[in-house]
Amino acid sequence: MSGAGPKLRFCPESNDLLYPKEDKERRKLVYFCRSCGYQEDAHPSEWCVYRNEVQHTSREKSVVLQDVRSDPTLPRTKDVRCPVCSHNEAVFFTSSTEQGMELFFSCLSCGHRWRDYV
């Protein structure tokens, strides 16, 4: 296949469309017929049914940093001091870039953001 995705498959018994599903016991992708129950294993080249690749611009990536202070899933630390207000609690997260790993901080008091290169 040339990147167009899997081709449509039809049931040899009923000529209805075959739908992809997971065979949980065998941990395989199979195609099945909703009408008669016929099923066949998918070929390994068809294992990827759908792939969504998202490309972000640098502007979109910077939006992530806007207000991370209110995100309850991000870790917090009291081991840093804000360079603007000297508050000692911040939210932090990491990001990989071409230059290496970066550690981003956001002060819980004033919202100032800064980074540290790891």
Side-chain angles (χ1 to χ4, degrees):
M1 286 189 282
S2 60
K7 60 185 177 187
L8 293 178
R9 303 180 72 84
F10 296 93
C11 177
E13 297 173 17
S14 67
N15 282 336
D16 288 331
L17 187 63
L18 294 178
Y19 294 89
K21 75 171 185 175
E22 178 188 8
D23 181 339
K24 293 184 189 285
E25 291 177 7
R26 297 185 307 142
R27 297 184 48 88
K28 289 197 169 236
L29 178 67
V30 297
Y31 288 99
F32 78 102
C33 177
R34 291 182 179 171
S35 300
C36 70
Y38 170 84
Q39 73 177 32
E40 61 185 43
D41 289 351
H43 188 270
S45 65
E46 300 172 319
W47 286 351
C48 182
V49 176
Y50 179 77
R51 181 177 179 160
N52 184 19
E53 291 187 26
V54 178
Q55 300 293 327
H56 292 285
T57 64
S58 59
R59 181 180 172 130
E60 289 174 318
K61 289 179 182 176
S62 66
V63 172
V64 174
L65 300 175
Q66 290 304 316
D67 193 22
V68 295
R69 295 180 298 162
S70 60
D71 187 342
T73 64
L74 291 176
R76 298 169 188 266
T77 182
K78 292 185 179 184
D79 295 333
V80 296
R81 190 155 305 278
C82 175
V84 173
C85 73
S86 297
H87 187 71
N88 70 335
E89 189 173 9
V91 171
F92 68 95
F93 60 96
T94 60
S95 176
S96 294
T97 65
E98 293 90 24
Q99 292 83 25
M101 185 72 77
E102 290 180 303
L103 194 56
F104 291 93
F105 294 95
S106 180
C107 177
L108 290 176
S109 178
C110 71
H112 175 71
R113 294 184 304 272
W114 71 97
R115 69 180 83 178
D116 188 13
Y117 297 96
V118 179

